Amino acid sequence: MTAVQRWLTLTQLRRILHQTFSFDELEKELVRAKVVNIKDLAPDVVAIGSQVTFKISKFDKYLTKTLCLPLDMHKYEDGISIFAPIGSALLGLRAGQKISWNTKSGEQQIDILEVKRKVRYLVCD
């Protein structure tokens, strides 16, 4: 990767983070996070590569999405980026759990209905 490509990647990441999070919200997500080895992660816990069925309470809308990295969005018809507000909110949750967060359009709440491990991402130890 050239210095220009690296700069573009960092610039794109900063733009994505700026558009999807306030830094206070990102800090809250990081405080809530628990880092575990992928081998120790239960299959019903939402992680990158999980297919999640959830309900957006405000709109009574049911969705099934595969949580993935932005570079992999093209691989899944139902893909959602981990950098999307709802994508990052899903991380670490299990079926039966709920989470609320503030967005530009007001508070959102989602109910997790089902979690399946669809894709296993390679992770360096």
Side-chain angles (χ1 to χ4, degrees):
M1 180 180 285
T2 69
V4 172
Q5 289 171 318
R6 194 171 23 256
W7 180 82
L8 285 173
T9 302
L10 290 172
T11 301
Q12 291 165 343
L13 181 58
R14 283 188 189 110
R15 185 182 42 137
I16 290 167
L17 287 173
H18 182 71
Q19 288 173 349
T20 58
F21 283 114
S22 73
F23 288 104
D24 291 337
E25 293 300 318
L26 178 58
E27 185 175 36
K28 287 178 191 175
E29 290 298 318
L30 291 173
V31 167
R32 167 177 95 79
K34 179 182 176 186
V35 178
V36 297
N37 189 310
I38 191 71
K39 298 171 195 160
D40 300 328
L41 188 65
D44 66 335
V45 173
V46 178
I48 298 172
S50 295
Q51 186 177 57
V52 186
T53 301
F54 57 95
K55 175 185 170 190
I56 302 174
S57 298
K58 184 176 183 177
F59 304 108
D60 198 33
K61 186 174 184 177
Y62 294 81
L63 298 169
T64 298
K65 297 286 184 183
T66 298
L67 202 60
C68 59
L69 296 171
L71 296 173
D72 293 331
M73 291 286 295
H74 69 281
K75 295 179 182 178
Y76 309 102
E77 281 186 36
D78 65 346
I80 187 168
S81 169
I82 60 167
F83 292 123
I86 201 164
S88 61
L90 292 169
L91 283 170
L93 299 178
R94 287 187 150 119
Q97 290 187 301
K98 300 177 183 193
I99 191 167
S100 298
W101 77 100
N102 291 318
T103 67
K104 292 177 183 176
S105 61
E107 186 174 275
Q108 297 286 334
Q109 179 177 313
I110 53 175
D111 303 317
I112 310 303
L113 305 174
E114 184 178 23
V115 179
K116 295 178 187 176
R117 189 65 47 85
K118 185 174 181 181
V119 177
R120 188 165 186 114
Y121 273 84
L122 296 176
V123 179
C124 298
D125 289 324

